[in-house]
mmCIF file of all heavy atoms in Angstrom:
data_model
loop_
_atom_site.group_PDB
_atom_site.id
_atom_site.type_symbol
_atom_site.label_atom_id
_atom_site.label_comp_id
_atom_site.label_asym_id
_atom_site.label_seq_id
_atom_site.Cartn_x
_atom_site.Cartn_y
_atom_site.Cartn_z
ATOM 1 N N ASP A 474 111.098 155.130 114.366
ATOM 2 C CA ASP A 474 110.177 156.156 114.861
ATOM 3 C C ASP A 474 109.988 156.042 116.378
ATOM 4 O O ASP A 474 109.921 157.055 117.084
ATOM 5 C CB ASP A 474 108.822 156.032 114.160
ATOM 6 C CG ASP A 474 108.798 156.747 112.810
ATOM 7 O OD1 ASP A 474 109.601 157.686 112.626
ATOM 8 O OD2 ASP A 474 107.993 156.361 111.947
ATOM 9 N N LEU A 475 109.897 154.816 116.890
ATOM 10 C CA LEU A 475 109.765 154.619 118.330
ATOM 11 C C LEU A 475 111.000 155.135 119.066
ATOM 12 O O LEU A 475 110.899 155.738 120.137
ATOM 13 C CB LEU A 475 109.564 153.134 118.638
ATOM 14 C CG LEU A 475 108.131 152.647 118.846
ATOM 15 C CD1 LEU A 475 108.095 151.134 118.930
ATOM 16 C CD2 LEU A 475 107.546 153.263 120.111
ATOM 17 N N HIS A 476 112.161 154.878 118.478
ATOM 18 C CA HIS A 476 113.419 155.309 119.099
ATOM 19 C C HIS A 476 113.492 156.826 119.205
ATOM 20 O O HIS A 476 114.020 157.371 120.193
ATOM 21 C CB HIS A 476 114.603 154.773 118.286
ATOM 22 C CG HIS A 476 115.936 155.194 118.801
ATOM 23 N ND1 HIS A 476 116.344 154.995 120.109
ATOM 24 C CD2 HIS A 476 116.982 155.817 118.185
ATOM 25 C CE1 HIS A 476 117.567 155.464 120.263
ATOM 26 N NE2 HIS A 476 117.971 155.976 119.117
ATOM 27 N N LEU A 477 112.953 157.546 118.215
ATOM 28 C CA LEU A 477 112.930 159.000 118.280
ATOM 29 C C LEU A 477 112.078 159.493 119.436
ATOM 30 O O LEU A 477 112.354 160.542 120.027
ATOM 31 C CB LEU A 477 112.393 159.575 116.962
ATOM 32 C CG LEU A 477 113.309 159.452 115.743
ATOM 33 C CD1 LEU A 477 112.583 159.916 114.487
ATOM 34 C CD2 LEU A 477 114.588 160.268 115.957
ATOM 35 N N ARG A 478 111.051 158.744 119.784
ATOM 36 C CA ARG A 478 110.131 159.142 120.845
ATOM 37 C C ARG A 478 110.540 158.588 122.207
ATOM 38 O O ARG A 478 110.080 159.059 123.236
ATOM 39 C CB ARG A 478 108.709 158.702 120.464
ATOM 40 C CG ARG A 478 108.168 159.570 119.342
ATOM 41 C CD ARG A 478 107.182 158.865 118.430
ATOM 42 N NE ARG A 478 106.843 159.765 117.329
ATOM 43 C CZ ARG A 478 107.601 159.922 116.226
ATOM 44 N NH1 ARG A 478 108.713 159.223 116.081
ATOM 45 N NH2 ARG A 478 107.242 160.766 115.283
ATOM 46 N N ASP A 479 111.376 157.566 122.206
ATOM 47 C CA ASP A 479 111.922 157.006 123.445
ATOM 48 C C ASP A 479 113.405 156.732 123.213
ATOM 49 O O ASP A 479 113.800 155.618 122.880
ATOM 50 C CB ASP A 479 111.190 155.714 123.815
ATOM 51 C CG ASP A 479 111.744 155.072 125.091
ATOM 52 O OD1 ASP A 479 112.706 155.615 125.664
ATOM 53 O OD2 ASP A 479 111.228 154.013 125.491
ATOM 54 N N PRO A 480 114.250 157.753 123.364
ATOM 55 C CA PRO A 480 115.678 157.607 123.018
ATOM 56 C C PRO A 480 116.516 156.878 124.061
ATOM 57 O O PRO A 480 117.733 157.032 124.107
ATOM 58 C CB PRO A 480 116.135 159.063 122.857
ATOM 59 C CG PRO A 480 115.234 159.835 123.760
ATOM 60 C CD PRO A 480 113.904 159.143 123.725
ATOM 61 N N SER A 481 115.868 156.041 124.883
ATOM 62 C CA SER A 481 116.601 155.280 125.901
ATOM 63 C C SER A 481 117.503 154.217 125.282
ATOM 64 O O SER A 481 118.424 153.720 125.926
ATOM 65 C CB SER A 481 115.610 154.599 126.848
ATOM 66 O OG SER A 481 114.835 153.627 126.141
ATOM 67 N N GLY A 482 117.222 153.846 124.042
ATOM 68 C CA GLY A 482 117.944 152.760 123.384
ATOM 69 C C GLY A 482 117.145 151.484 123.313
ATOM 70 O O GLY A 482 117.502 150.557 122.578
ATOM 71 N N ARG A 483 116.055 151.432 124.044
ATOM 72 C CA ARG A 483 115.219 150.229 124.065
ATOM 73 C C ARG A 483 114.720 149.861 122.667
ATOM 74 O O ARG A 483 114.616 148.683 122.325
ATOM 75 C CB ARG A 483 114.031 150.470 125.002
ATOM 76 C CG ARG A 483 113.029 149.327 125.100
ATOM 77 C CD ARG A 483 111.825 149.773 125.902
ATOM 78 N NE ARG A 483 110.821 148.725 126.054
ATOM 79 C CZ ARG A 483 110.647 148.007 127.163
ATOM 80 N NH1 ARG A 483 111.434 148.205 128.199
ATOM 81 N NH2 ARG A 483 109.698 147.089 127.236
ATOM 82 N N TYR A 484 114.389 150.876 121.868
ATOM 83 C CA TYR A 484 113.804 150.627 120.552
ATOM 84 C C TYR A 484 114.768 150.914 119.401
ATOM 85 O O TYR A 484 114.358 150.868 118.239
ATOM 86 C CB TYR A 484 112.526 151.453 120.390
ATOM 87 C CG TYR A 484 111.490 151.114 121.427
ATOM 88 C CD1 TYR A 484 111.268 151.954 122.511
ATOM 89 C CD2 TYR A 484 110.769 149.924 121.354
ATOM 90 C CE1 TYR A 484 110.341 151.632 123.496
ATOM 91 C CE2 TYR A 484 109.844 149.588 122.341
ATOM 92 C CZ TYR A 484 109.635 150.441 123.406
ATOM 93 O OH TYR A 484 108.732 150.106 124.374
ATOM 94 N N ALA A 485 116.013 151.210 119.712
ATOM 95 C CA ALA A 485 116.983 151.485 118.656
ATOM 96 C C ALA A 485 117.145 150.250 117.774
ATOM 97 O O ALA A 485 117.499 149.178 118.259
ATOM 98 C CB ALA A 485 118.329 151.873 119.264
ATOM 99 N N PRO A 486 116.879 150.346 116.474
ATOM 100 C CA PRO A 486 117.015 149.165 115.603
ATOM 101 C C PRO A 486 118.471 148.698 115.576
ATOM 102 O O PRO A 486 119.401 149.498 115.613
ATOM 103 C CB PRO A 486 116.581 149.685 114.222
ATOM 104 C CG PRO A 486 115.849 150.967 114.476
ATOM 105 C CD PRO A 486 116.444 151.539 115.712
ATOM 106 N N SER A 487 118.649 147.400 115.512
ATOM 107 C CA SER A 487 119.997 146.845 115.441
ATOM 108 C C SER A 487 120.622 147.154 114.088
ATOM 109 O O SER A 487 119.925 147.435 113.105
ATOM 110 C CB SER A 487 119.956 145.333 115.652
ATOM 111 O OG SER A 487 119.287 144.705 114.565
ATOM 112 N N LEU A 488 121.939 147.071 114.044
ATOM 113 C CA LEU A 488 122.649 147.269 112.782
ATOM 114 C C LEU A 488 122.219 146.206 111.771
ATOM 115 O O LEU A 488 122.102 146.482 110.568
ATOM 116 C CB LEU A 488 124.158 147.202 113.010
ATOM 117 C CG LEU A 488 125.059 147.352 111.782
ATOM 118 C CD1 LEU A 488 124.808 148.685 111.083
ATOM 119 C CD2 LEU A 488 126.523 147.227 112.189
ATOM 120 N N ALA A 489 121.947 144.993 112.261
ATOM 121 C CA ALA A 489 121.510 143.918 111.360
ATOM 122 C C ALA A 489 120.188 144.265 110.699
ATOM 123 O O ALA A 489 119.996 144.031 109.497
ATOM 124 C CB ALA A 489 121.389 142.601 112.128
ATOM 125 N N LEU A 490 119.255 144.842 111.473
ATOM 126 C CA LEU A 490 117.963 145.208 110.895
ATOM 127 C C LEU A 490 118.113 146.381 109.937
ATOM 128 O O LEU A 490 117.443 146.437 108.896
ATOM 129 C CB LEU A 490 116.966 145.556 112.005
ATOM 130 C CG LEU A 490 115.517 145.740 111.549
ATOM 131 C CD1 LEU A 490 114.957 144.428 110.999
ATOM 132 C CD2 LEU A 490 114.642 146.245 112.691
ATOM 133 N N TYR A 491 118.993 147.308 110.277
ATOM 134 C CA TYR A 491 119.273 148.436 109.382
ATOM 135 C C TYR A 491 119.772 147.923 108.032
ATOM 136 O O TYR A 491 119.303 148.358 106.970
ATOM 137 C CB TYR A 491 120.303 149.363 110.011
ATOM 138 C CG TYR A 491 120.743 150.503 109.123
ATOM 139 C CD1 TYR A 491 120.036 151.701 109.100
ATOM 140 C CD2 TYR A 491 121.846 150.370 108.293
ATOM 141 C CE1 TYR A 491 120.421 152.747 108.282
ATOM 142 C CE2 TYR A 491 122.244 151.410 107.469
ATOM 143 C CZ TYR A 491 121.531 152.590 107.466
ATOM 144 O OH TYR A 491 121.916 153.618 106.641
ATOM 145 N N ARG A 492 120.731 147.005 108.071
ATOM 146 C CA ARG A 492 121.270 146.456 106.824
ATOM 147 C C ARG A 492 120.208 145.721 106.032
ATOM 148 O O ARG A 492 120.139 145.836 104.807
ATOM 149 C CB ARG A 492 122.434 145.516 107.147
ATOM 150 C CG ARG A 492 123.707 146.244 107.567
ATOM 151 C CD ARG A 492 124.762 145.275 108.037
ATOM 152 N NE ARG A 492 126.054 145.948 108.224
ATOM 153 C CZ ARG A 492 126.985 145.531 109.060
ATOM 154 N NH1 ARG A 492 126.775 144.446 109.798
ATOM 155 N NH2 ARG A 492 128.123 146.186 109.166
ATOM 156 N N HIS A 493 119.370 144.970 106.733
ATOM 157 C CA HIS A 493 118.303 144.234 106.047
ATOM 158 C C HIS A 493 117.327 145.198 105.374
ATOM 159 O O HIS A 493 116.919 144.982 104.229
ATOM 160 C CB HIS A 493 117.553 143.353 107.050
ATOM 161 C CG HIS A 493 116.361 142.664 106.468
ATOM 162 N ND1 HIS A 493 116.459 141.586 105.632
ATOM 163 C CD2 HIS A 493 115.031 142.927 106.584
ATOM 164 C CE1 HIS A 493 115.249 141.195 105.262
ATOM 165 N NE2 HIS A 493 114.367 141.998 105.821
ATOM 166 N N ALA A 494 116.967 146.262 106.087
ATOM 167 C CA ALA A 494 115.982 147.207 105.556
ATOM 168 C C ALA A 494 116.498 147.949 104.333
ATOM 169 O O ALA A 494 115.728 148.302 103.437
ATOM 170 C CB ALA A 494 115.583 148.201 106.642
ATOM 171 N N HIS A 495 117.814 148.184 104.273
ATOM 172 C CA HIS A 495 118.369 148.989 103.197
ATOM 173 C C HIS A 495 119.053 148.179 102.110
ATOM 174 O O HIS A 495 119.515 148.742 101.113
ATOM 175 C CB HIS A 495 119.355 150.013 103.772
ATOM 176 C CG HIS A 495 118.692 151.075 104.592
ATOM 177 N ND1 HIS A 495 118.391 150.892 105.920
ATOM 178 C CD2 HIS A 495 118.231 152.314 104.271
ATOM 179 C CE1 HIS A 495 117.789 151.977 106.389
ATOM 180 N NE2 HIS A 495 117.680 152.851 105.401
ATOM 181 N N ALA A 496 119.098 146.865 102.274
ATOM 182 C CA ALA A 496 119.731 146.018 101.261
ATOM 183 C C ALA A 496 118.807 145.836 100.063
ATOM 184 O O ALA A 496 117.584 146.019 100.157
ATOM 185 C CB ALA A 496 120.082 144.659 101.855
ATOM 186 N N SER A 497 119.382 145.461 98.939
ATOM 187 C CA SER A 497 118.580 145.157 97.751
ATOM 188 C C SER A 497 117.780 143.899 98.000
ATOM 189 O O SER A 497 118.280 142.929 98.565
ATOM 190 C CB SER A 497 119.488 144.948 96.538
ATOM 191 O OG SER A 497 120.182 146.144 96.238
ATOM 192 N N ASP A 498 116.541 143.908 97.599
ATOM 193 C CA ASP A 498 115.684 142.730 97.697
ATOM 194 C C ASP A 498 115.982 141.819 96.519
ATOM 195 O O ASP A 498 115.767 142.209 95.370
ATOM 196 C CB ASP A 498 114.213 143.146 97.694
ATOM 197 C CG ASP A 498 113.287 141.997 98.048
ATOM 198 O OD1 ASP A 498 113.636 140.837 97.736
ATOM 199 O OD2 ASP A 498 112.209 142.254 98.611
ATOM 200 N N PRO A 499 116.481 140.604 96.747
ATOM 201 C CA PRO A 499 116.840 139.727 95.631
ATOM 202 C C PRO A 499 115.660 139.362 94.746
ATOM 203 O O PRO A 499 115.818 139.035 93.582
ATOM 204 C CB PRO A 499 117.415 138.475 96.327
ATOM 205 C CG PRO A 499 116.848 138.526 97.721
ATOM 206 C CD PRO A 499 116.740 139.985 98.051
ATOM 207 N N ARG A 500 114.453 139.498 95.301
ATOM 208 C CA ARG A 500 113.263 139.175 94.489
ATOM 209 C C ARG A 500 112.908 140.310 93.537
ATOM 210 O O ARG A 500 112.231 140.113 92.544
ATOM 211 C CB ARG A 500 112.076 138.878 95.403
ATOM 212 C CG ARG A 500 112.239 137.641 96.268
ATOM 213 C CD ARG A 500 111.150 137.550 97.292
ATOM 214 N NE ARG A 500 111.151 138.729 98.164
ATOM 215 C CZ ARG A 500 110.275 138.936 99.151
ATOM 216 N NH1 ARG A 500 109.316 138.087 99.366
ATOM 217 N NH2 ARG A 500 110.364 140.018 99.895
ATOM 218 N N GLU A 501 113.365 141.523 93.884
ATOM 219 C CA GLU A 501 112.985 142.685 93.084
ATOM 220 C C GLU A 501 114.173 143.270 92.314
ATOM 221 O O GLU A 501 113.997 143.993 91.338
ATOM 222 C CB GLU A 501 112.409 143.776 93.995
ATOM 223 C CG GLU A 501 111.151 143.313 94.721
ATOM 224 C CD GLU A 501 110.657 144.363 95.692
ATOM 225 O OE1 GLU A 501 111.286 145.440 95.792
ATOM 226 O OE2 GLU A 501 109.636 144.138 96.355
#
Side-chain angles (χ1 to χ4, degrees):
D474 276 336
L475 263 171
H476 178 54
L477 289 173
R478 288 150 185 82
D479 179 359
S481 65
R483 178 188 181 103
Y484 300 103
S487 67
L488 178 59
L490 189 64
Y491 175 87
R492 286 173 170 154
H493 174 75
H495 291 84
S497 296
D498 191 329
R500 295 170 301 179
E501 298 176 0

